[in-house]
Amino acid sequence: MKKLRIAFADDHPIVLAGLSNLIADDPRFELTGSLDNPTALVQHITQHQPDIVVTDFSMPGDDHYGDGLSFIGYLSRNFPNCRLLVVTMITSPPIIASLYRTGVSGVVLKSDQPNDLLDALDCLYQGRRYLRADSTAVPAAVPAGTQQEALEDIRDRVIASLSPKEQEVLRLFIGGHSLTAIAQTLNRSIKTISNQKRSAMRKLDIPTDQALIEFCVHTGLFR
């Protein structure tokens, strides 16, 4: 049985340890490294040329490579022989579809079970792309496109899906304002502001405030 060489990247040591343990007894994979930032990952891929990289979508703080869509796009362009499996807490269909457009081989949600990650790795081992069983956002064949086109597509879809008032609330929330401050600024009740924010998150299929912030930061929404 041919072993595939695999590297993990995440800025949380506990996550890295869990990923390493997940494949420790799997004879199909050989771990080449566990990296905690984008620069270290790029250096590792250059030196060790792993077959598969499992990387977190969000690893902030790297001034050279950044993270999110821009970093995933960089990896896809510069290491085309390396299959990318992206792990993220963002469930929004537009951003997941855009990840596939950059050339990734699969996307796994942080809310998924460990077996789902193993299923994804099994697909990559067999040379197939991984699509989650309940995925409706990604078609069987994803057309190629540039990173800028992907970002513009996300922004267009978001603007089209949200009402002007919902956009207004999200813009202020992403800017660091509390719901109370937003209510005072817009002269609406806190209940109304909360409902509009919750409605926007439901439309974007984003479950948490942290995921919402990551989504808006990485797509350049409301800059």
Side-chain angles (χ1 to χ4, degrees), residues 56 112 140-141 202 219:
D56 192 359
D112 288 341
R202 185 170 59 250
T219 58

Side-chain angles (χ1 to χ4, degrees), residues 2 10 15-17 21 52 61 65 67 75 78 80 86 103 108 115 138 152 155 178 182 186 189 191 197-198 218:
K2 178 186 176 182
D10 195 289
V15 174
L16 285 177
N21 289 335
I52 297 172
Y65 290 103
D67 68 337
L75 293 178
N78 289 274
V86 177
V108 176
N115 281 342
V138 183
E152 290 175 358
R155 288 192 285 263
S178 66
I182 295 173
L186 300 180
S189 70
K191 182 178 179 180
K197 173 175 169 285
R198 187 161 50 246
H218 291 305

Side-chain angles (χ1 to χ4, degrees), residues 5 123 134-135 143 222:
R5 306 171 79 244
C123 284
D134 61 350
S135 176
F222 306 131

Side-chain angles (χ1 to χ4, degrees), residues 57-58 67-70 72-73 86-104 106-109 135 137-138 142 147 149-158 203-207 210-221:
F57 177 77
S58 179
D67 68 337
L69 274 174
S70 61
I72 300 301
V86 177
V87 180
T88 179
M89 69 171 57
I90 297 175
T91 60
S92 173
I95 203 164
I96 290 177
S98 293
L99 281 167
Y100 280 97
R101 286 192 182 94
T102 66
V104 306
V107 177
V108 176
L109 303 183
S135 176
V138 183
V142 181
Q147 175 190 320
E149 288 172 344
L151 290 173
E152 290 175 358
D153 179 57
I154 292 174
R155 288 192 285 263
D156 290 344
R157 292 191 194 190
V158 170
K203 289 179 180 179
L204 298 176
D205 194 19
I206 294 178
Q210 183 178 351
L212 175 64
I213 293 170
E214 287 187 11
F215 174 85
C216 292
V217 168
H218 291 305
T219 58
L221 200 65

Side-chain angles (χ1 to χ4, degrees), residues 40-50 65 74 79:
L41 177 58
V42 170
Q43 292 172 346
H44 182 84
I45 298 175
T46 302
Q47 294 172 6
H48 299 279
Q49 300 180 346
Y65 290 103
Y74 174 88
F79 304 102

Side-chain angles (χ1 to χ4, degrees), residues 136-208:
T136 58
V138 183
V142 181
T146 66
Q147 175 190 320
Q148 187 58 36
E149 288 172 344
L151 290 173
E152 290 175 358
D153 179 57
I154 292 174
R155 288 192 285 263
D156 290 344
R157 292 191 194 190
V158 170
I159 295 303
S161 68
L162 301 180
S163 71
K165 289 185 177 180
E166 289 168 346
Q167 294 178 40
E168 198 172 30
V169 169
L170 288 192
R171 182 178 291 106
L172 290 171
F173 179 75
I174 297 303
H177 299 276
S178 66
L179 295 186
T180 300
I182 295 173
Q184 294 173 345
T185 299
L186 300 180
N187 195 27
R188 302 174 201 161
S189 70
I190 294 179
K191 182 178 179 180
T192 297
I193 296 299
S194 178
N195 288 339
Q196 288 169 338
K197 173 175 169 285
R198 187 161 50 246
S199 174
M201 293 175 68
R202 185 170 59 250
K203 289 179 180 179
L204 298 176
D205 194 19
I206 294 178
T208 66

